[in-house]
Amino acid sequence: MHMSVRFLASAFIFTATACGSSTYGPSSNPPASCAGTGASATIDATAGASASSFTFSPNAATITAGQSVCWVNNSIADHTVTSGPGTTDDGKFTGRDLFKGTRVVVTFATAGSYPFHCSIHLPPLYTNMTGTITVNP
């Protein structure tokens, strides 16, 4: 007997703490893209053959309160978008996992400075997997 099973991919919506909301999930057409998300800034998570080539690029973005940032991962490795400086998760926003071929979109409702990092590729070995979102009023 032959049976086929279909799996449906779905996007999950998370509520962010203190600043807005984020959307997590696979893009509709791999490789992942930030097109159609309405994001004001795009940050690529990349990975290469050495620790120094694991980066968020650009590692900083400036937006206005109410706008979104989209992180996209078309690299060879899984990453996270974790709120906080260095290796500390400060819980200011919820970014979640950034698996290969996925994107994370976070809307920042409140002005402020929001450092982020990849909790998989932590400093000091992976010094380029950090960044900051500046949200103006």
Side-chain angles (χ1 to χ4, degrees):
M1 176 160 74
H2 180 330
M3 300 177 75
S4 69
V5 180
R6 293 184 185 185
F7 294 96
L8 299 175
S10 61
F12 298 94
I13 299 188
F14 296 91
T15 302
T17 306
C19 76
S21 62
S22 66
T23 303
Y24 162 75
S27 67
S28 57
N29 293 314
S33 166
C34 289
T37 64
S40 299
T42 297
I43 298 175
D44 293 314
T46 60
S50 68
S52 65
S53 64
F54 280 57
T55 63
F56 282 117
S57 179
N59 68 350
T62 301
I63 61 172
T64 302
Q67 293 182 322
S68 301
V69 174
C70 177
W71 285 263
V72 62
N73 185 356
N74 289 313
S75 76
I76 61 170
D78 292 337
H79 299 290
T80 70
V81 176
T82 305
S83 174
T87 60
T88 304
D89 183 351
D90 65 12
K92 286 187 177 179
F93 69 88
T94 302
R96 310 290 294 164
D97 296 322
L98 188 58
F99 298 120
K100 292 180 280 189
T102 65
R103 65 185 180 205
V104 172
V105 179
V106 178
T107 302
F108 293 86
T110 305
S113 179
Y114 297 90
F116 63 90
H117 64 279
C118 173
S119 63
I120 299 170
H121 304 103
L122 297 170
L125 181 59
Y126 298 97
T127 57
N128 298 322
M129 295 299 301
T130 63
T132 303
I133 305 301
T134 301
V135 182
N136 293 325

